Amino acid sequence: QVQLVESGGGLVQPGGSLTLSCAGSGFTSVYEAIGWFRQAPGREREGISCINRRDGSTTYKDSMQDRFTISRDIAKDTVYLHITNLQPADTAVYFCATRPFTVCSSYEWFSTFSYRGLGTQVTVSS
């Protein structure tokens, strides 16, 4: 059973930075990639970035690459999301997710997922 646990959220002032962590367990080789999403109240779920577990190649949605950086630690089976210049519009629950048999190589990867974590709250406010 795949399990994903996020951490690292909190209250941040505008302009600040955060690094979120997603610790995974129970993976088999069919789970090629892990990705980050966010969801704010009243807004649709939004894909941010995904990373392939084997080679570390990445895909970012839209203009997310400007302020978001995804990375991984193979030994810890952990994926990170570093966010810079946080703004109030970034306030949301951030969660990681995965799906089997699908390499992270296009926007299609963000269309669905099989497992997700509970998420970590990021609040940007002065």
Side-chain angles (χ1 to χ4, degrees):
Q1 180 81 2
V2 173
Q3 291 189 324
L4 299 165
V5 180
E6 303 90 342
S7 61
L11 175 63
V12 184
Q13 291 189 341
S17 301
L18 272 180
T19 298
L20 309 180
S21 300
C22 169
S25 62
F27 288 114
T28 63
S29 60
V30 303
Y31 293 94
E32 302 273 0
I34 298 173
W36 282 98
F37 298 78
R38 67 182 180 182
Q39 186 149 26
R43 297 179 62 180
E44 290 189 0
R45 183 184 73 217
E46 186 176 22
I48 300 171
S49 181
C50 58
I51 187 167
N52 289 307
R53 296 172 63 219
R54 294 181 188 179
D55 64 7
S57 56
T58 61
T59 297
Y60 290 85
K61 282 293 295 290
D62 305 320
S63 61
M64 294 294 186
Q65 195 165 6
D66 293 346
R67 298 186 296 115
F68 295 79
T69 303
I70 194 169
S71 61
R72 82 199 194 292
D73 184 326
I74 297 175
K76 296 181 179 180
D77 230 342
T78 298
V79 173
Y80 304 96
L81 185 70
H82 183 61
I83 316 170
T84 61
N85 192 23
L86 280 154
Q87 299 300 317
D90 294 316
T91 296
V93 173
Y94 287 71
F95 65 93
C96 56
T98 189
R99 55 189 286 198
F101 307 112
T102 310
V103 174
C104 160
S105 62
S106 72
Y107 286 6
E108 192 280 333
W109 192 92
F110 299 96
S111 64
T112 186
F113 50 80
S114 300
Y115 294 96
R116 58 161 290 178
L118 294 177
T120 185
Q121 176 71 44
V122 173
T123 302
V124 185
S125 175
S126 55

